[in-house]
Amino acid sequence: MTLGRIFGKVSTKEFRILLNEDAEKFEYLRITYKDYDILAQIIEIEKEFDKTIGECSVIGYRDEERKLQTLKFPIEPDTPVKRADENFVKNMLGLNSSEGAYIGTLQNYEHIKVYLDFNKLLTKHVCILAKSGSGKSYTSSVLIEEILERNIPIVIIDPHGEYHSLKYPSAF
């Protein structure tokens, strides 16, 4: 079922959708255009008199080799937009694995579990960036617990004392 149609100025990175159904911020979208299945996300929703407009960000499409690619062409205005189902989101975001560090579920998709690959996580540089109160320390502690659970050596420099309770086993 069509959630709405693309209208106005369209770029390879973003577009606007005139919604004909209720939608939520951060909801994933599926657009079929020129034989491509494209994943996008609503990043803002505005009301304008009797219209509801979604500001959307294009995530990309999978090429023949299954690599996620950015768009190299804008989608045509008036192209229909659908809600992305869970399987499409999992496949497009590469969330099919149940191996690695479990960090939670994808927002608005409670059945999609997110795992981070330990090989990539521990052999490369890692940085967790976000505004205050968004869960950086919590995410760090979840990752640290996953690392400790697998008996992987880790050194934590904790000047603020945020992770002192990690030395005690959980009561759960």
PDB file of all heavy atoms in Angstrom, residues 89-115:
ATOM      1  N   VAL A  89      14.265  -4.022   5.397  1.00  0.00           N
ATOM      2  CA  VAL A  89      15.154  -3.205   6.232  1.00  0.00           C
ATOM      3  C   VAL A  89      16.373  -4.023   6.664  1.00  0.00           C
ATOM      4  O   VAL A  89      17.519  -3.563   6.558  1.00  0.00           O
ATOM      5  CB  VAL A  89      14.400  -2.640   7.461  1.00  0.00           C
ATOM      6  CG1 VAL A  89      15.355  -1.931   8.409  1.00  0.00           C
ATOM      7  CG2 VAL A  89      13.290  -1.698   7.023  1.00  0.00           C
ATOM      8  N   LYS A  90      16.142  -5.251   7.131  1.00  0.00           N
ATOM      9  CA  LYS A  90      17.249  -6.121   7.551  1.00  0.00           C
ATOM     10  C   LYS A  90      18.237  -6.356   6.416  1.00  0.00           C
ATOM     11  O   LYS A  90      19.446  -6.245   6.606  1.00  0.00           O
ATOM     12  CB  LYS A  90      16.715  -7.470   8.036  1.00  0.00           C
ATOM     13  CG  LYS A  90      16.175  -7.470   9.440  1.00  0.00           C
ATOM     14  CD  LYS A  90      15.543  -8.786   9.807  1.00  0.00           C
ATOM     15  CE  LYS A  90      16.552  -9.882   9.923  1.00  0.00           C
ATOM     16  NZ  LYS A  90      15.983 -11.115  10.491  1.00  0.00           N
ATOM     17  N   ASN A  91      17.718  -6.673   5.245  1.00  0.00           N
ATOM     18  CA  ASN A  91      18.590  -6.943   4.103  1.00  0.00           C
ATOM     19  C   ASN A  91      19.351  -5.704   3.661  1.00  0.00           C
ATOM     20  O   ASN A  91      20.548  -5.765   3.369  1.00  0.00           O
ATOM     21  CB  ASN A  91      17.792  -7.514   2.931  1.00  0.00           C
ATOM     22  CG  ASN A  91      17.318  -8.918   3.210  1.00  0.00           C
ATOM     23  OD1 ASN A  91      17.932  -9.673   3.949  1.00  0.00           O
ATOM     24  ND2 ASN A  91      16.189  -9.273   2.614  1.00  0.00           N
ATOM     25  N   MET A  92      18.673  -4.571   3.605  1.00  0.00           N
ATOM     26  CA  MET A  92      19.322  -3.347   3.147  1.00  0.00           C
ATOM     27  C   MET A  92      20.384  -2.849   4.134  1.00  0.00           C
ATOM     28  O   MET A  92      21.427  -2.352   3.734  1.00  0.00           O
ATOM     29  CB  MET A  92      18.286  -2.257   2.894  1.00  0.00           C
ATOM     30  CG  MET A  92      17.376  -2.543   1.716  1.00  0.00           C
ATOM     31  SD  MET A  92      18.244  -2.679   0.151  1.00  0.00           S
ATOM     32  CE  MET A  92      18.640  -0.981  -0.147  1.00  0.00           C
ATOM     33  N   LEU A  93      20.115  -2.981   5.427  1.00  0.00           N
ATOM     34  CA  LEU A  93      21.063  -2.506   6.437  1.00  0.00           C
ATOM     35  C   LEU A  93      22.094  -3.561   6.826  1.00  0.00           C
ATOM     36  O   LEU A  93      22.983  -3.296   7.631  1.00  0.00           O
ATOM     37  CB  LEU A  93      20.313  -2.018   7.687  1.00  0.00           C
ATOM     38  CG  LEU A  93      19.412  -0.803   7.483  1.00  0.00           C
ATOM     39  CD1 LEU A  93      18.717  -0.442   8.793  1.00  0.00           C
ATOM     40  CD2 LEU A  93      20.194   0.387   6.942  1.00  0.00           C
ATOM     41  N   GLY A  94      21.966  -4.763   6.257  1.00  0.00           N
ATOM     42  CA  GLY A  94      22.922  -5.833   6.558  1.00  0.00           C
ATOM     43  C   GLY A  94      22.792  -6.349   7.972  1.00  0.00           C
ATOM     44  O   GLY A  94      23.792  -6.655   8.622  1.00  0.00           O
ATOM     45  N   LEU A  95      21.567  -6.456   8.464  1.00  0.00           N
ATOM     46  CA  LEU A  95      21.331  -6.893   9.843  1.00  0.00           C
ATOM     47  C   LEU A  95      20.832  -8.334   9.900  1.00  0.00           C
ATOM     48  O   LEU A  95      20.002  -8.683  10.722  1.00  0.00           O
ATOM     49  CB  LEU A  95      20.319  -5.957  10.517  1.00  0.00           C
ATOM     50  CG  LEU A  95      20.748  -4.500  10.618  1.00  0.00           C
ATOM     51  CD1 LEU A  95      19.625  -3.646  11.194  1.00  0.00           C
ATOM     52  CD2 LEU A  95      22.014  -4.359  11.443  1.00  0.00           C
ATOM     53  N   ASN A  96      21.361  -9.188   9.030  1.00  0.00           N
ATOM     54  CA  ASN A  96      20.920 -10.572   8.965  1.00  0.00           C
ATOM     55  C   ASN A  96      21.680 -11.498   9.908  1.00  0.00           C
ATOM     56  O   ASN A  96      21.263 -12.605  10.168  1.00  0.00           O
ATOM     57  CB  ASN A  96      21.043 -11.095   7.526  1.00  0.00           C
ATOM     58  CG  ASN A  96      20.099 -10.355   6.603  1.00  0.00           C
ATOM     59  OD1 ASN A  96      18.947 -10.152   6.931  1.00  0.00           O
ATOM     60  ND2 ASN A  96      20.607  -9.938   5.464  1.00  0.00           N
ATOM     61  N   SER A  97      22.797 -11.033  10.407  1.00  0.00           N
ATOM     62  CA  SER A  97      23.626 -11.878  11.263  1.00  0.00           C
ATOM     63  C   SER A  97      23.134 -11.868  12.706  1.00  0.00           C
ATOM     64  O   SER A  97      22.621 -10.873  13.198  1.00  0.00           O
ATOM     65  CB  SER A  97      25.070 -11.377  11.229  1.00  0.00           C
ATOM     66  OG  SER A  97      25.857 -12.102  12.139  1.00  0.00           O
ATOM     67  N   SER A  98      23.290 -13.004  13.365  1.00  0.00           N
ATOM     68  CA  SER A  98      23.013 -13.059  14.803  1.00  0.00           C
ATOM     69  C   SER A  98      24.313 -13.362  15.543  1.00  0.00           C
ATOM     70  O   SER A  98      24.309 -13.853  16.659  1.00  0.00           O
ATOM     71  CB  SER A  98      21.943 -14.107  15.114  1.00  0.00           C
ATOM     72  OG  SER A  98      22.377 -15.376  14.683  1.00  0.00           O
ATOM     73  N   GLU A  99      25.425 -13.063  14.908  1.00  0.00           N
ATOM     74  CA  GLU A  99      26.754 -13.240  15.486  1.00  0.00           C
ATOM     75  C   GLU A  99      27.283 -11.876  15.909  1.00  0.00           C
ATOM     76  O   GLU A  99      26.983 -10.874  15.288  1.00  0.00           O
ATOM     77  CB  GLU A  99      27.706 -13.833  14.442  1.00  0.00           C
ATOM     78  CG  GLU A  99      27.262 -15.165  13.871  1.00  0.00           C
ATOM     79  CD  GLU A  99      27.524 -16.305  14.821  1.00  0.00           C
ATOM     80  OE1 GLU A  99      28.600 -16.330  15.434  1.00  0.00           O
ATOM     81  OE2 GLU A  99      26.626 -17.151  14.953  1.00  0.00           O
ATOM     82  N   GLY A 100      28.080 -11.859  16.938  1.00  0.00           N
ATOM     83  CA  GLY A 100      28.715 -10.612  17.345  1.00  0.00           C
ATOM     84  C   GLY A 100      28.125 -10.049  18.613  1.00  0.00           C
ATOM     85  O   GLY A 100      27.472 -10.737  19.389  1.00  0.00           O
ATOM     86  N   ALA A 101      28.340  -8.776  18.813  1.00  0.00           N
ATOM     87  CA  ALA A 101      27.898  -8.081  20.027  1.00  0.00           C
ATOM     88  C   ALA A 101      26.468  -7.584  19.828  1.00  0.00           C
ATOM     89  O   ALA A 101      26.209  -6.740  18.987  1.00  0.00           O
ATOM     90  CB  ALA A 101      28.820  -6.907  20.321  1.00  0.00           C
ATOM     91  N   TYR A 102      25.552  -8.126  20.611  1.00  0.00           N
ATOM     92  CA  TYR A 102      24.153  -7.701  20.547  1.00  0.00           C
ATOM     93  C   TYR A 102      24.019  -6.372  21.278  1.00  0.00           C
ATOM     94  O   TYR A 102      24.354  -6.263  22.447  1.00  0.00           O
ATOM     95  CB  TYR A 102      23.254  -8.754  21.193  1.00  0.00           C
ATOM     96  CG  TYR A 102      21.814  -8.318  21.318  1.00  0.00           C
ATOM     97  CD1 TYR A 102      21.023  -8.171  20.193  1.00  0.00           C
ATOM     98  CD2 TYR A 102      21.255  -8.051  22.560  1.00  0.00           C
ATOM     99  CE1 TYR A 102      19.700  -7.766  20.291  1.00  0.00           C
ATOM    100  CE2 TYR A 102      19.928  -7.654  22.670  1.00  0.00           C
ATOM    101  CZ  TYR A 102      19.165  -7.513  21.533  1.00  0.00           C
ATOM    102  OH  TYR A 102      17.854  -7.103  21.633  1.00  0.00           O
ATOM    103  N   ILE A 103      23.539  -5.333  20.568  1.00  0.00           N
ATOM    104  CA  ILE A 103      23.424  -4.029  21.215  1.00  0.00           C
ATOM    105  C   ILE A 103      21.982  -3.544  21.348  1.00  0.00           C
ATOM    106  O   ILE A 103      21.743  -2.492  21.890  1.00  0.00           O
ATOM    107  CB  ILE A 103      24.274  -2.951  20.515  1.00  0.00           C
ATOM    108  CG1 ILE A 103      23.852  -2.739  19.071  1.00  0.00           C
ATOM    109  CG2 ILE A 103      25.747  -3.282  20.610  1.00  0.00           C
ATOM    110  CD1 ILE A 103      24.421  -1.477  18.467  1.00  0.00           C
ATOM    111  N   GLY A 104      21.031  -4.322  20.846  1.00  0.00           N
ATOM    112  CA  GLY A 104      19.633  -3.939  21.018  1.00  0.00           C
ATOM    113  C   GLY A 104      18.832  -4.159  19.746  1.00  0.00           C
ATOM    114  O   GLY A 104      19.265  -4.850  18.834  1.00  0.00           O
ATOM    115  N   THR A 105      17.654  -3.547  19.715  1.00  0.00           N
ATOM    116  CA  THR A 105      16.789  -3.672  18.546  1.00  0.00           C
ATOM    117  C   THR A 105      16.733  -2.342  17.809  1.00  0.00           C
ATOM    118  O   THR A 105      16.988  -1.284  18.382  1.00  0.00           O
ATOM    119  CB  THR A 105      15.359  -4.096  18.942  1.00  0.00           C
ATOM    120  OG1 THR A 105      14.810  -3.132  19.831  1.00  0.00           O
ATOM    121  CG2 THR A 105      15.346  -5.472  19.571  1.00  0.00           C
ATOM    122  N   LEU A 106      16.388  -2.428  16.545  1.00  0.00           N
ATOM    123  CA  LEU A 106      16.276  -1.243  15.717  1.00  0.00           C
ATOM    124  C   LEU A 106      15.024  -0.466  16.107  1.00  0.00           C
ATOM    125  O   LEU A 106      13.948  -1.051  16.262  1.00  0.00           O
ATOM    126  CB  LEU A 106      16.203  -1.670  14.243  1.00  0.00           C
ATOM    127  CG  LEU A 106      16.411  -0.613  13.195  1.00  0.00           C
ATOM    128  CD1 LEU A 106      17.796   0.021  13.305  1.00  0.00           C
ATOM    129  CD2 LEU A 106      16.234  -1.219  11.816  1.00  0.00           C
ATOM    130  N   GLN A 107      15.148   0.833  16.286  1.00  0.00           N
ATOM    131  CA  GLN A 107      14.020   1.671  16.685  1.00  0.00           C
ATOM    132  C   GLN A 107      12.863   1.495  15.712  1.00  0.00           C
ATOM    133  O   GLN A 107      13.043   1.505  14.502  1.00  0.00           O
ATOM    134  CB  GLN A 107      14.452   3.136  16.732  1.00  0.00           C
ATOM    135  CG  GLN A 107      13.372   4.059  17.231  1.00  0.00           C
ATOM    136  CD  GLN A 107      13.855   5.495  17.358  1.00  0.00           C
ATOM    137  OE1 GLN A 107      15.022   5.804  17.194  1.00  0.00           O
ATOM    138  NE2 GLN A 107      12.947   6.383  17.668  1.00  0.00           N
ATOM    139  N   ASN A 108      11.668   1.321  16.235  1.00  0.00           N
ATOM    140  CA  ASN A 108      10.421   1.112  15.492  1.00  0.00           C
ATOM    141  C   ASN A 108      10.314  -0.269  14.853  1.00  0.00           C
ATOM    142  O   ASN A 108       9.339  -0.551  14.171  1.00  0.00           O
ATOM    143  CB  ASN A 108      10.194   2.184  14.414  1.00  0.00           C
ATOM    144  CG  ASN A 108      10.026   3.561  14.979  1.00  0.00           C
ATOM    145  OD1 ASN A 108       9.604   3.734  16.118  1.00  0.00           O
ATOM    146  ND2 ASN A 108      10.370   4.566  14.206  1.00  0.00           N
ATOM    147  N   TYR A 109      11.313  -1.118  15.020  1.00  0.00           N
ATOM    148  CA  TYR A 109      11.309  -2.476  14.462  1.00  0.00           C
ATOM    149  C   TYR A 109      11.820  -3.422  15.546  1.00  0.00           C
ATOM    150  O   TYR A 109      12.949  -3.904  15.473  1.00  0.00           O
ATOM    151  CB  TYR A 109      12.181  -2.549  13.209  1.00  0.00           C
ATOM    152  CG  TYR A 109      11.670  -1.701  12.074  1.00  0.00           C
ATOM    153  CD1 TYR A 109      11.986  -0.350  11.976  1.00  0.00           C
ATOM    154  CD2 TYR A 109      10.853  -2.251  11.096  1.00  0.00           C
ATOM    155  CE1 TYR A 109      11.505   0.437  10.948  1.00  0.00           C
ATOM    156  CE2 TYR A 109      10.368  -1.479  10.054  1.00  0.00           C
ATOM    157  CZ  TYR A 109      10.695  -0.139   9.987  1.00  0.00           C
ATOM    158  OH  TYR A 109      10.206   0.627   8.958  1.00  0.00           O
ATOM    159  N   GLU A 110      10.987  -3.691  16.554  1.00  0.00           N
ATOM    160  CA  GLU A 110      11.442  -4.444  17.725  1.00  0.00           C
ATOM    161  C   GLU A 110      11.855  -5.874  17.422  1.00  0.00           C
ATOM    162  O   GLU A 110      12.514  -6.522  18.228  1.00  0.00           O
ATOM    163  CB  GLU A 110      10.390  -4.430  18.843  1.00  0.00           C
ATOM    164  CG  GLU A 110       9.118  -5.171  18.527  1.00  0.00           C
ATOM    165  CD  GLU A 110       8.046  -4.322  17.871  1.00  0.00           C
ATOM    166  OE1 GLU A 110       8.239  -3.112  17.667  1.00  0.00           O
ATOM    167  OE2 GLU A 110       6.989  -4.888  17.562  1.00  0.00           O
ATOM    168  N   HIS A 111      11.525  -6.396  16.237  1.00  0.00           N
ATOM    169  CA  HIS A 111      11.923  -7.752  15.882  1.00  0.00           C
ATOM    170  C   HIS A 111      13.262  -7.794  15.152  1.00  0.00           C
ATOM    171  O   HIS A 111      13.776  -8.875  14.861  1.00  0.00           O
ATOM    172  CB  HIS A 111      10.847  -8.425  15.020  1.00  0.00           C
ATOM    173  CG  HIS A 111       9.532  -8.539  15.720  1.00  0.00           C
ATOM    174  ND1 HIS A 111       9.352  -9.321  16.845  1.00  0.00           N
ATOM    175  CD2 HIS A 111       8.338  -7.956  15.485  1.00  0.00           C
ATOM    176  CE1 HIS A 111       8.105  -9.215  17.256  1.00  0.00           C
ATOM    177  NE2 HIS A 111       7.466  -8.383  16.459  1.00  0.00           N
ATOM    178  N   ILE A 112      13.830  -6.625  14.851  1.00  0.00           N
ATOM    179  CA  ILE A 112      15.128  -6.586  14.171  1.00  0.00           C
ATOM    180  C   ILE A 112      16.210  -6.352  15.220  1.00  0.00           C
ATOM    181  O   ILE A 112      16.340  -5.259  15.766  1.00  0.00           O
ATOM    182  CB  ILE A 112      15.177  -5.493  13.088  1.00  0.00           C
ATOM    183  CG1 ILE A 112      14.121  -5.758  12.019  1.00  0.00           C
ATOM    184  CG2 ILE A 112      16.574  -5.448  12.466  1.00  0.00           C
ATOM    185  CD1 ILE A 112      14.082  -4.723  10.909  1.00  0.00           C
ATOM    186  N   LYS A 113      16.967  -7.410  15.494  1.00  0.00           N
ATOM    187  CA  LYS A 113      18.053  -7.316  16.462  1.00  0.00           C
ATOM    188  C   LYS A 113      19.316  -6.837  15.758  1.00  0.00           C
ATOM    189  O   LYS A 113      19.594  -7.228  14.629  1.00  0.00           O
ATOM    190  CB  LYS A 113      18.291  -8.672  17.113  1.00  0.00           C
ATOM    191  CG  LYS A 113      17.109  -9.116  17.966  1.00  0.00           C
ATOM    192  CD  LYS A 113      17.376 -10.428  18.644  1.00  0.00           C
ATOM    193  CE  LYS A 113      16.189 -10.787  19.522  1.00  0.00           C
ATOM    194  NZ  LYS A 113      16.395 -12.051  20.222  1.00  0.00           N
ATOM    195  N   VAL A 114      20.069  -5.988  16.456  1.00  0.00           N
ATOM    196  CA  VAL A 114      21.280  -5.405  15.883  1.00  0.00           C
ATOM    197  C   VAL A 114      22.496  -6.015  16.571  1.00  0.00           C
ATOM    198  O   VAL A 114      22.628  -5.950  17.794  1.00  0.00           O
ATOM    199  CB  VAL A 114      21.288  -3.866  16.035  1.00  0.00           C
ATOM    200  CG1 VAL A 114      22.578  -3.275  15.485  1.00  0.00           C
ATOM    201  CG2 VAL A 114      20.072  -3.261  15.353  1.00  0.00           C
ATOM    202  N   TYR A 115      23.364  -6.615  15.758  1.00  0.00           N
ATOM    203  CA  TYR A 115      24.617  -7.200  16.231  1.00  0.00           C
ATOM    204  C   TYR A 115      25.767  -6.493  15.518  1.00  0.00           C
ATOM    205  O   TYR A 115      25.673  -6.202  14.327  1.00  0.00           O
ATOM    206  CB  TYR A 115      24.689  -8.691  15.890  1.00  0.00           C
ATOM    207  CG  TYR A 115      23.685  -9.539  16.622  1.00  0.00           C
ATOM    208  CD1 TYR A 115      22.404  -9.721  16.110  1.00  0.00           C
ATOM    209  CD2 TYR A 115      24.017 -10.173  17.811  1.00  0.00           C
ATOM    210  CE1 TYR A 115      21.473 -10.504  16.778  1.00  0.00           C
ATOM    211  CE2 TYR A 115      23.089 -10.963  18.484  1.00  0.00           C
ATOM    212  CZ  TYR A 115      21.825 -11.120  17.958  1.00  0.00           C
ATOM    213  OH  TYR A 115      20.911 -11.897  18.629  1.00  0.00           O
TER     214      TYR A 115
END
